[in-house]
Amino acid sequence: SRVTSLANLIPPVKAAPLKRIGQTLQRSISFRSESRAEIMPPRPWSKQAPPAITKRRDSKLWSETFDVGLGQMLSSKEIKRQEAIFELSQGEQDLIEDLKLAKKAYHDPMLKLSIMTEHELNQIFGTLDSLIPLHEDLLSRLREARKPDGSTDHVGHILVDWLPCLDSYNSYCSNQVAAKALLDHKKQDHRVQDFLQRCLESPFSRKLDLWNFLDIPRSRLVKYPLLLREILKHTPNDHPDRQHLDEAINMIQSIVAEINTQTGESECRYYKERLLYLEDGQRDLLIDSSRILSCHGELKNNRGAKLHVFLFQDVLVITRAITHNEQLWYQLYRQPVPVRNLDWEDLQDGEIRLGGSIRGAFSNVERTKNFFRVTFRSGGQLQSHCFQASDAFNKQQWLNCIRQAKGALGSECTGELRRSPRSPSGLAVPSRDRAGECMDQSDSDSSDCSMDTSDTGANRPANPTGTPVEV
């Protein structure tokens, strides 16, 4: 029977509004918020099929797995220590199963069915295969250290010997930005989208899409410091394992920091290579010399134009996302602005000019929310761009990124960002004591300055990633 393609029935996945790169690994390299596929709507012309039974992974505690009677001879602190060690071991087993599943259920079938070429699959999956033996090795060592009654005396020395092999994560994490971009591009192919949707609806996927599986190694990497601290927390001060655990924690923190740095630099290079210049005058040495991409994402200007803005360590670059040769590129929309010349201002809701004529207070209030303005001097003139974020929190993130970039240059920020008390949720409430209109003295269009978070899969992230760390 003929199979109807699902591609045109699946709504686009909204991209994360802001990619923070400074914490690439801690976020999902901007990917966590992008990676979950949206559920396909039911077909109006057919009966809705009963939902598939989702395969769930058993989650067992150490005390549930081994002889419960043993607990009568152990203190509550020692039981918690054994639980933490068991969680480390069980997590390795789950990771290995997921990595093997990604290869067996996604990589191999798509290659066999010629849904993607071998070269494309190698780009998307990167060095995933090489990670499996590493974690099998750790799992084997942890199991060997486990006594017949299920308890484990020492794990610190095992981790100190094993952790250096995580250097191989450098290449895998650094490849994630390009891998995510290629995967998003390939989803435009109805055969790819159809295959991935069918996998998502199958019980084995546990409602996780392909990118969730590909991002699992990064998630595991940043969890190690938490797991080791938990073991150390319940290890007595006079226990011989404490010294090794302290050493292991220092090692994993150093490894994560180094991988995070290299991943951020890789992401920065990727986006610099994706910039398109309309004229040579738009090229800036500050872009070429940048090694850090502080954040990036979609914004809107006061005319409603969708822009993709990059904040490199030394320069702000305003672009428009375009498709060229079936690839996503970022065409420069305005002359790059050096961060050292940049000031910023939080704008009050409802006081921005829309389209350069009507004051926002007399228009739809929703259209005039979450604006902020950046100003700079060029040719002796004070110029500005006004940007609209997707929400108040996203706006605050942008303002924080700009402030941090200014601080990193060691220059005193002359822009003003007034802080207001924090809300009960712990998030900074945007300042409401400043009003502003978006006006550009250079030309009437320069005030187009909004980031749209609902547009295109042009991001990666966010993280990483985002990587990205795309927040």
Side-chain angles (χ1 to χ4, degrees):
S1 59
R2 298 180 61 186
V3 179
T4 304
S5 171
L6 304 176
N8 59 345
L9 298 178
I10 303 171
V13 179
K14 291 187 177 181
L18 172 63
K19 318 299 182 196
R20 294 279 307 274
I21 288 65
Q23 302 168 345
T24 302
L25 293 173
Q26 282 69 12
R27 59 180 168 76
S28 185
I29 207 168
S30 96
F31 296 152
R32 278 199 296 267
S33 57
E34 302 175 21
S35 57
R36 290 198 179 269
E38 298 188 9
I39 303 302
M40 184 186 68
R43 302 176 186 179
W45 61 83
S46 63
K47 294 183 179 180
Q48 187 172 359
I53 299 176
T54 302
K55 179 181 178 181
R56 296 189 179 277
R57 174 173 282 152
D58 293 334
S59 179
K60 292 184 178 180
L61 300 175
W62 173 78
S63 56
E64 296 174 343
T65 306
F66 299 98
D67 188 2
V68 180
L70 181 65
Q72 300 174 359
M73 299 180 291
L74 300 177
S75 65
S76 60
K77 185 171 185 177
E78 180 60 25
I79 292 177
K80 291 179 180 178
R81 181 172 181 270
Q82 294 300 325
E83 294 286 7
I85 294 174
F86 183 73
E87 182 182 357
L88 173 65
S89 176
Q90 190 65 31
E92 292 300 299
Q93 180 176 327
D94 293 344
L95 173 64
I96 293 167
E97 291 176 359
D98 284 337
L99 297 185
K100 290 182 175 179
L101 178 63
K103 178 172 174 56
K104 181 178 179 181
Y106 291 94
H107 178 282
D108 294 350
M110 285 194 288
L111 179 61
K112 185 175 182 180
L113 298 173
S114 299
I115 294 176
M116 288 195 206
T117 66
E118 184 174 5
H119 178 68
E120 290 169 337
L121 289 170
N122 288 340
Q123 283 186 293
I124 292 174
F125 283 79
T127 57
L128 186 74
D129 275 351
S130 68
L131 304 181
I132 297 176
L134 301 182
H135 295 281
E136 287 179 331
D137 179 36
L138 176 58
L139 180 60
S140 175
R141 297 190 196 191
L142 292 174
R143 286 176 172 173
E144 288 175 2
R146 186 181 295 161
K147 297 191 295 187
D149 61 10
S151 63
T152 303
D153 288 336
H154 304 86
V155 294
H157 68 288
I158 296 175
L159 294 165
V160 169
D161 290 341
W162 178 79
L163 285 174
C165 73
L166 289 181
D167 287 340
S168 60
Y169 264 72
N170 272 318
S171 58
Y172 183 80
C173 292
S174 296
N175 178 64
Q176 279 197 297
V177 177
K180 182 66 166 60
L182 178 59
L183 178 59
D184 287 342
H185 173 67
K186 293 302 296 182
K187 285 180 180 180
Q188 299 175 26
D189 184 333
H190 74 278
R191 294 188 66 207
V192 175
Q193 182 64 277
D194 185 70
F195 176 85
L196 295 180
Q197 184 66 23
R198 291 178 185 277
C199 289
L200 183 64
E201 295 171 348
S202 299
F204 74 82
S205 72
R206 309 195 309 276
K207 299 300 181 183
L208 302 177
D209 66 10
L210 173 56
W211 185 254
N212 285 125
F213 284 102
L214 295 178
D215 193 47
I216 283 174
R218 180 210 56 78
S219 301
R220 182 65 177 173
L221 187 63
V222 298
K223 193 175 182 181
Y224 282 125
L226 302 177
L227 293 170
L228 300 192
R229 288 194 194 99
E230 186 66 16
I231 297 174
L232 181 64
K233 176 182 176 182
H234 302 294
T235 300
N237 293 333
D238 59 349
H239 198 291
D241 210 23
R242 283 195 68 93
Q243 181 178 355
H244 285 127
L245 286 171
D246 279 327
E247 184 180 355
I249 290 173
N250 290 332
M251 289 177 65
I252 188 59
Q253 288 176 333
S254 177
I255 291 171
V256 169
E258 175 62 23
I259 294 176
N260 192 50
T261 298
Q262 295 193 24
T263 302
E265 292 178 357
S266 174
E267 184 174 34
C268 184
R269 288 194 301 271
Y270 174 83
Y271 283 108
K272 286 198 298 184
E273 293 170 356
R274 289 284 169 181
L275 295 178
L276 288 179
Y277 300 90
L278 295 176
E279 54 187 29
D280 289 339
Q282 290 180 324
R283 297 184 180 274
D284 196 308
L285 292 177
L286 292 177
I287 298 177
D288 296 335
S289 62
S290 292
R291 297 178 58 195
I292 298 174
L293 179 58
S294 300
C295 61
H296 72 99
E298 285 80 18
L299 295 172
K300 290 180 180 178
N301 59 20
N302 66 323
R303 297 178 181 276
K306 297 176 181 179
L307 308 173
H308 197 104
V309 180
F310 296 90
L311 179 62
F312 293 96
Q313 64 189 70
D314 296 322
V315 62
L316 182 76
V317 181
I318 304 171
T319 72
R320 277 178 168 164
I322 65 170
T323 301
H324 178 64
N325 292 334
E326 297 186 352
Q327 296 293 324
L328 190 63
W329 298 83
Y330 301 93
Q331 186 180 78
L332 262 70
Y333 179 66
R334 286 292 181 265
Q335 193 69 20
V337 182
V339 170
R340 65 176 179 271
N341 299 336
L342 200 64
D343 294 328
W344 71 95
E345 182 181 19
D346 191 353
L347 299 181
Q348 183 177 355
D349 290 348
E351 291 294 329
I352 195 70
R353 284 186 182 273
L354 294 179
S357 57
I358 305 175
R359 183 176 295 272
F362 296 99
S363 63
N364 186 346
V365 176
E366 291 299 321
R367 296 177 58 199
T368 61
K369 283 186 174 181
N370 308 315
F371 271 93
F372 65 95
R373 177 166 56 198
V374 296
T375 58
F376 57 97
R377 287 198 173 274
S378 177
Q381 281 190 321
L382 184 65
Q383 302 184 24
S384 67
H385 296 298
C386 295
F387 298 108
Q388 184 181 29
S390 58
D391 52 44
F393 178 70
N394 187 33
K395 177 175 75 168
Q396 194 66 33
Q397 287 180 306
W398 273 101
L399 293 173
N400 290 339
C401 283
I402 296 173
R403 183 177 64 249
Q404 291 167 10
K406 291 278 290 187
L409 290 176
S411 60
E412 182 178 356
C413 295
T414 57
E416 183 181 30
L417 173 61
R418 299 187 181 181
R419 286 185 162 185
S420 57
R422 291 187 175 273
S423 65
S425 65
L427 299 178
V429 178
S431 173
R432 299 282 181 132
D433 60 348
R434 297 282 297 182
E437 299 171 357
C438 185
M439 304 177 67
D440 191 330
Q441 297 182 12
S442 60
D443 62 69
S444 60
D445 222 14
S446 294
S447 57
D448 300 351
C449 36
S450 36
M451 289 187 178
D452 187 333
T453 63
S454 65
D455 188 32
T456 155
N459 299 315
R460 39 172 204 119
N463 118 304
T465 307
T467 121
V469 215
E470 255 159 307
V471 210

